[in-house]
Amino acid sequence: MPRPVVSQSAHAQLQLLQRRIFRALQAEAQALFGETPGAIKRYEHECAADFRAPIRVSTKEALVGAIRQADVSFVADYHTFGQAQRTALRLMRETVLPGERWMIGLELIPSQYQGALDDFQAGKLSLKAFHKLIRYEEEWGFPWSNYAGIFEWAREHGVRLIALNRPKQLLYRSL
């Protein structure tokens, strides 16, 4: 291991160490899980461009208020970042009040599987059967653990989930 440069500040040395640890963990994860599929790499590349745009800061209260006033709200979801789904779930918890009737649309489920989604949310299907029916790994493939909380919360609070994605055969027809 190379010696730290003495002229660097302690903060700069800490950042360098953090980068080395991150690269080592990243290499270990890649060795365990294999190469990231090309489709996910392309998605990550496309999403990276979104982070270069100017960001407007809002308070959580203002955001929740705006959602409550709107008929339809869209929450962006960077599928590879679990924090995106946790943030969406926090917004749902803060926005939906007991006794209100809400619906949440999900891009991760193609529309032809609405019946399976309804059955899963009603407890008529196990998670394994649901994933098999909707072809979760083939159709979506992002970590289920990122989304599980949304499904559980919606079930507990009587919030209907709506399958919004286009069937894959329509999505990739021109390819």
Side-chain angles (χ1 to χ4, degrees):
M1 178 179 238
R3 290 183 175 179
V5 177
V6 176
S7 63
Q8 287 182 327
S9 71
H11 180 72
Q13 289 179 20
L14 177 61
Q15 285 181 321
L16 182 63
L17 180 60
Q18 288 173 331
R19 282 189 203 104
R20 285 183 184 149
I21 292 169
F22 173 77
R23 283 193 296 273
L25 290 171
Q26 191 176 36
E28 184 178 338
Q30 185 171 353
L32 289 171
F33 297 112
E35 186 65 27
T36 302
I40 292 179
K41 283 183 178 179
R42 285 189 298 278
Y43 174 79
E44 286 176 329
H45 179 72
E46 290 169 9
C47 289
D50 292 341
F51 287 109
R52 284 176 264 182
I55 296 173
R56 288 188 356 215
V57 178
S58 174
T59 66
K60 182 173 58 172
E61 292 77 19
L63 182 56
V64 167
I67 293 170
R68 290 195 56 75
Q69 293 299 312
D71 291 327
V72 176
S73 298
F74 294 94
V75 177
D77 174 5
Y78 292 96
H79 313 316
T80 57
F81 305 120
Q83 185 59 47
Q85 294 83 29
R86 288 189 296 276
T87 298
L89 180 55
R90 274 192 218 104
L91 284 173
M92 291 173 212
R93 287 178 175 150
E94 304 250 347
T95 303
V96 178
L97 299 177
E100 293 181 331
R101 187 169 177 253
W102 285 72
M103 289 184 240
I104 297 171
L106 299 171
E107 177 190 9
L108 68 140
I109 310 289
S111 59
Q112 78 262 28
Y113 299 124
Q114 183 65 51
L117 176 57
D118 292 340
D119 286 348
F120 175 67
Q121 286 302 103
K124 297 176 184 176
L125 284 176
S126 69
L127 178 62
K128 185 176 180 178
F130 175 60
H131 279 190
K132 185 176 180 180
L133 273 172
I134 67 169
R135 301 169 31 88
Y136 184 80
E137 287 301 319
E138 298 85 3
E139 295 281 339
W140 194 248
F142 293 101
W144 174 255
S145 59
N146 291 357
Y147 299 94
I150 293 171
F151 283 76
E152 292 164 8
W153 178 86
R155 184 182 297 137
E156 289 170 14
H157 292 87
V159 174
R160 182 150 189 237
L161 298 178
I162 307 296
L164 293 180
N165 215 350
R166 290 183 285 177
K168 206 172 242 186
Q169 60 271 27
L170 296 177
L171 190 61
Y172 298 111
R173 186 183 307 176
S174 62
L175 297 179

